[in-house]
Amino acid sequence: MIRKMRNSIFVNIFMISILCLALRPAYAQDMTKQMLEEADSARLAYDFPKAEEICQRVIAALDSSSRTEATEHLILAQNGLSMMNFCSTPKVVAKQVFSLKDFFLFYPLQDHSWRKVPNQLDSIPTKDIETATYVPDGAQTLLYSSTDEDGIRNIYITNFKDTAWSVPALINEQLTSSSDEIFPMLSPDGKSIFFASKGLYGMGGYDLYVSSWNEENADWDVPVNMGFPYSSPYDDFLFINTDDGEYSIFASNRECSKDSVCIYVLEYDGMPVRKSITDLGELRKLCRLTPADDKSKFDNRSAVRDAGTDNTETKEYVARVRAVRAIRDSIAAFNKNLDEMRSKLSSAKGDDAAKLTETISEREAQLPALNDSLSKASKALQEVEMDFLSKGIVLDANKLQAAADREIVGSSSAYTFSKNSYGPAPHLNILKPKPSFDYSFKILPEGKFAENNTLPEGLVYQIQIFAQSRKATTADIKGLSPVFERQSGNRYVYSAGLFRSYKDVLSNLNKVKRQGFRSAIITAYSDGQPISVSNARKMEADIKTVYLVKVYPANGSSLPGDLLNEIKALTPTDLIKSVEDGSVVFKIGPLDDKALADSILNAMKKAGETNASIETTQVR
């Protein structure tokens, strides 16, 4: 009996131990998540020291395979700490909250230049942030953000040349990260690009960056985080300097709900003084960007001039139209509210019914005064119109209507926001990527003659297929590609392929013979001059051949993520992005192994990237 009890207790203890061990990973995971959320809250409160300390405790408690997420949080906290040493203190003119869906229309930019997404340049909106592309009329260079095959946003550039826009290309490697880049904006002098990124050196969310044009390298320099108070742990984006040199403007959700954004207007400072801020309270105050209470700044000017309102008369007319419209809107809202109260009165009882009746009576008594205001405003508008007629002034009705339709915000503050209108969808004549001829040997349904019959430098083998007195046709070459033509006296000699090794050309000789060229032979050339095959094989022993795989992406800008992963699995060699003749090209190499180069090429073809080829170079 005692033995049975001992066994039962032992089993129970064992089962409890197993259960604890089973629950431990889940418990540890929950604790890690909770601590990282605490670190995130500290970072969003600008308490970077606390966020760093929590992350370091989490990392110390985890094994190496589980530290990735905690390390990412730690980097954001450390970046925030570092940037506290380089803070600007701009003078704040104004700030105003707008809807996230169209806040950019309140920027002092060219009217009718924001084009809704999807459009010709950008096919997918970015989670309600970048829902329009800035395409101003008359621009010669366009910068814009668009998604690649993985849904990641990159910055592309296209330039207008004669009658068409160049093939859009990634702007450069420095301004491209593993995450999103949005709202690229060129400075008025064309020497700086401002943009927002989630993937570059930052403290979380979108940070603001500036890249300067390097005259010596003829390219854009490494972008610099603009730091506090422009960047923050929240989303900060769409920075511009106004054309008149008075203001710097950007947007942020640091003080807004998820469906809103705050636009900050600052005095332009071309030479900002940086200083270190160690007090977290002072840093938070700086990043709130509260406008200065300086009455001298209250000039009530709009940074966007109203279309068609260049003189006093037309400005007065637009003001009168807005006044009439404002009163009409007020009366409409007033009547709607009255109707709602009357509807409630039908079901109200006792004291509630008595209070509603009294309120309705008070409101109805206010209606005559509102209607009188509307009558006076309408009369004032008619007087302006009659004055125009007496002076013979002809108004552009469309321009004045557009000016009157603009939404005006902040008219009682130091800065007036005027709402622009969307422009029509862009219709740009954009050049297509120029495909490069594929010189890798293939047997196709229809053969191809070489685009250029000049042989490359170095040692090369070919398979001579026939010679005849007339020019060959596509049917004559029986699917071989590429086929080179050279003239020898009155005869045309045709050879297939370009092979850098005897082993490679020999492995393809029988394939050519099986196509019906029974008399095919191997030939060899050095720097374009014929040499014997035996001498070529001796030379080959002293030559190292390296291979470079090139691909022009089918979409003109990026490669599929699955293909990139497959290439990384095949070789650790870096994938290099560049632009050739206005087209984006990816290069993998140099590679020593021909079989590896062929494997990468085949992977690209299977992924649908047909404009790919292998280039060979010989090194003695």
Side-chain angles (χ1 to χ4, degrees):
M1 182 71 179
I2 294 174
R3 181 179 294 176
K4 286 183 179 179
M5 288 179 63
R6 285 176 177 170
N7 287 341
S8 178
I9 292 170
F10 175 80
V11 169
N12 288 336
I13 293 173
F14 178 75
M15 290 303 295
I16 291 170
S17 299
I18 292 295
L19 182 61
C20 288
L21 288 172
L23 290 175
R24 185 177 177 185
Y27 175 75
Q29 189 176 14
D30 287 344
M31 284 298 295
T32 298
K33 181 181 178 182
Q34 183 178 335
M35 291 182 72
L36 290 180
E37 286 176 353
E38 187 181 347
D40 223 27
S41 296
R43 178 179 59 84
L44 292 172
Y46 299 88
D47 193 345
F48 302 110
K50 181 179 178 180
E52 181 188 38
E53 186 269 329
I54 294 171
C55 291
Q56 287 177 337
R57 279 197 285 124
V58 172
I59 290 171
L62 296 173
D63 58 67
S64 58
S65 61
S66 306
R67 293 174 183 167
T68 304
E69 185 181 0
T71 302
E72 290 174 356
H73 283 259
L74 176 63
I75 290 171
L76 295 179
Q78 291 176 334
N79 290 349
L81 270 172
S82 176
M83 282 190 277
M84 287 174 66
N85 295 313
F86 307 95
C87 300
S88 303
T89 53
K91 293 181 180 178
V92 186
V93 176
K95 68 178 180 181
Q96 185 74 42
V97 176
F98 296 96
S99 170
L100 185 60
K101 67 180 181 180
D102 63 359
F103 72 95
F104 38 80
L105 294 178
F106 289 90
Y107 273 60
L109 296 166
Q110 189 180 120
D111 199 9
H112 302 289
S113 291
W114 286 104
R115 321 302 175 111
K116 290 183 178 180
V117 174
N119 58 50
Q120 188 179 359
L121 298 172
D122 187 5
S123 58
I124 305 172
T126 304
K127 298 175 183 177
D128 299 326
I129 292 182
E130 196 173 39
T131 56
T133 308
Y134 186 63
V135 185
D137 290 334
Q140 297 296 303
T141 298
L142 291 179
L143 295 172
Y144 65 96
S145 172
S146 184
T147 52
D148 61 17
E149 290 294 324
D150 297 321
I152 295 174
R153 286 192 162 268
N154 298 305
I155 298 175
Y156 295 87
I157 185 170
T158 177
N159 296 294
F160 188 74
K161 298 178 180 178
D162 299 326
T163 59
W165 292 88
S166 62
V167 178
L170 283 170
I171 189 162
N172 77 5
E173 186 177 358
Q174 311 286 6
L175 277 69
T176 303
S177 75
S178 59
S179 192
D180 294 335
E181 279 76 49
I182 61 172
F183 286 124
M185 300 298 289
L186 202 60
S187 63
D189 62 7
K191 294 181 179 180
S192 300
I193 292 175
F194 300 96
F195 66 100
S197 174
K198 272 187 176 179
L200 297 174
Y201 172 88
M203 63 192 99
Y206 286 103
D207 276 20
L208 286 167
Y209 299 82
V210 58
S211 175
S212 302
W213 179 253
N214 187 314
E215 292 286 353
E216 185 177 345
N217 298 333
D219 202 356
W220 296 100
D221 272 337
V222 177
V224 176
N225 192 310
M226 295 180 69
F228 296 117
Y230 307 101
S231 294
S232 75
Y234 297 84
D235 291 322
D236 310 289
F237 40 84
L238 192 50
F239 180 98
I240 68 163
N241 289 320
T242 58
D243 289 345
D244 58 15
E246 288 191 47
Y247 304 110
S248 294
I249 301 175
F250 75 97
S252 176
N253 63 7
R254 66 184 69 172
E255 295 181 280
C256 304
S257 59
K258 289 184 178 180
D259 60 350
S260 301
V261 65
C262 193
I263 296 180
Y264 298 89
V265 182
L266 317 172
E267 284 189 6
Y268 173 75
D269 184 1
M271 299 282 289
V273 177
R274 307 279 185 175
K275 70 173 187 176
S276 176
I277 294 179
T278 56
D279 182 78
L280 297 181
E282 184 182 352
L283 180 63
R284 294 186 188 108
K285 182 179 178 181
L286 171 67
C287 291
R288 278 196 294 271
L289 291 170
T290 303
D293 187 16
D294 183 353
K295 301 301 181 184
S296 66
K297 300 293 181 186
F298 281 59
D299 55 15
N300 198 24
R301 289 178 301 162
S302 170
V304 182
R305 297 178 66 190
D306 287 337
T309 57
D310 293 331
N311 56 58
T312 304
E313 289 85 357
T314 52
K315 284 179 181 178
E316 183 181 359
Y317 179 80
V318 169
R320 300 288 184 190
V321 171
R322 284 176 176 156
V324 170
R325 184 173 297 165
I327 296 172
R328 281 178 181 163
D329 290 345
S330 296
I331 292 174
F334 195 87
N335 283 325
K336 182 180 179 182
N337 185 252
L338 264 176
D339 288 340
E340 289 173 354
M341 285 191 288
R342 288 170 183 145
S343 177
K344 289 179 181 178
L345 181 61
S346 62
S347 59
K349 295 179 182 179
D351 290 342
D352 290 339
K355 288 179 181 177
L356 267 175
T357 302
E358 184 180 354
T359 304
I360 290 171
S361 297
E362 290 175 355
R363 294 292 180 89
E364 287 175 339
Q366 296 173 23
L367 269 174
L370 283 173
N371 288 323
D372 184 56
S373 297
L374 177 59
S375 177
K376 289 179 179 177
S378 298
K379 185 179 179 181
L381 176 60
Q382 290 172 358
E383 288 175 354
V384 173
E385 290 173 342
M386 293 301 294
D387 186 47
F388 283 168
L389 286 173
S390 66
K391 294 178 179 178
I393 298 174
V394 179
L395 299 176
D396 187 328
N398 292 330
K399 283 187 177 181
L400 289 172
Q401 186 64 40
D405 285 344
R406 278 189 176 173
E407 182 179 341
I408 304 298
V409 179
S411 56
S412 61
S413 70
Y415 182 94
T416 303
F417 295 90
S418 295
K419 188 177 183 180
N420 285 319
S421 301
Y422 284 106
H427 296 287
L428 308 174
N429 179 23
I430 299 176
L431 297 173
K432 300 293 183 184
K434 182 181 178 182
S436 60
F437 189 86
D438 185 359
Y439 282 92
S440 57
F441 178 72
K442 293 180 295 296
I443 299 175
L444 305 170
E446 183 177 81
K448 291 183 180 180
F449 289 98
E451 197 174 74
N452 186 338
N453 286 303
T454 303
L455 295 178
E457 293 182 357
L459 178 64
V460 64
Y461 297 91
Q462 289 192 299
I463 300 174
Q464 185 173 310
I465 51 178
F466 61 81
Q468 57 187 34
S469 58
R470 63 172 177 83
K471 275 182 169 286
T473 64
T474 303
D476 294 330
I477 60 178
K478 300 179 181 180
L480 299 185
S481 177
V483 171
F484 290 75
E485 176 190 278
R486 65 180 62 87
Q487 204 165 353
S488 178
N490 345 344
R491 295 175 68 77
Y492 294 93
V493 180
Y494 293 91
S495 302
L498 289 174
F499 307 94
R500 290 294 188 173
S501 71
Y502 181 75
K503 180 181 177 182
D504 197 9
V505 69
L506 185 61
S507 67
N508 284 284
L509 179 61
N510 282 335
K511 295 178 185 178
V512 172
K513 288 185 176 182
R514 283 196 293 270
Q515 289 297 109
F517 302 103
R518 302 279 180 189
S519 302
I521 59 171
I522 295 173
T523 56
Y525 301 86
S526 176
D527 294 332
Q529 298 302 313
I531 60 172
S532 68
V533 173
S534 58
N535 283 341
R537 294 183 67 182
K538 290 176 183 176
M539 289 175 59
E540 190 180 333
D542 299 324
I543 294 174
K544 179 183 178 181
T545 303
V546 293
Y547 306 91
L548 182 70
V549 183
K550 294 175 64 177
V551 58
Y552 294 83
N555 70 357
S557 61
S558 60
L559 295 176
D562 292 345
L563 177 57
L564 293 174
N565 292 334
E566 189 171 351
I567 292 170
K568 288 177 182 177
L570 288 170
T571 175
T573 306
D574 287 338
L575 189 69
I576 302 169
K577 292 175 285 187
S578 61
V579 177
E580 291 183 358
D581 299 325
S583 299
V584 174
V585 59
F586 287 81
K587 301 176 183 178
I588 304 98
L591 306 167
D592 295 332
D593 188 350
K594 176 66 163 56
L596 175 58
D598 287 336
S599 297
I600 295 172
L601 185 67
N602 290 334
M604 289 181 174
K605 298 293 177 68
K606 287 179 181 177
E609 300 294 339
T610 56
N611 194 7
S613 60
I614 298 174
E615 287 188 358
T616 55
T617 305
Q618 293 178 336
V619 182
R620 292 182 182 274

